Amino acid sequence: PPPPPPPGRRPGERALRLGTLAVVALAAALVTGRPWVLALAAAPLVLLALALPGGQRPDGLTARAEVEPRRCFEGEQVTV
């Protein structure tokens, strides 16, 4: 089996894509010397800044569901 992931927070796929897009746009702005290319990096950087964790992460999550009746048929409404 694969090894367990390292403890702590890790960036998700979307954050990695946005970061890559921002770095490529910044590099293109530096290489070409055109300041308007920096605008291409602004949107991903703003989205990444808004997605930064703001508080403590909960240690665990508990869920409990009670379904009445215990048996249901297709088309019946069930309240959970």
Side-chain angles (χ1 to χ4, degrees):
R9 295 184 180 194
R10 297 182 320 266
E13 287 184 33
R14 183 170 290 155
L16 292 174
R17 288 181 193 154
L18 288 172
T20 302
L21 181 61
V23 167
V24 168
L26 288 171
L30 290 173
V31 169
T32 62
R34 298 176 189 235
W36 63 268
V37 181
L38 286 174
L40 296 176
L45 289 174
V46 167
L47 289 174
L48 284 173
L50 291 174
L52 287 175
Q56 281 193 334
R57 190 175 187 176
D59 292 334
L61 180 67
T62 304
R64 188 173 62 111
E66 294 180 20
V67 180
E68 287 295 329
R70 304 283 293 168
R71 180 190 287 174
C72 62
F73 297 98
E74 184 177 342
E76 290 183 345
Q77 290 187 352
V78 178
T79 303
V80 178

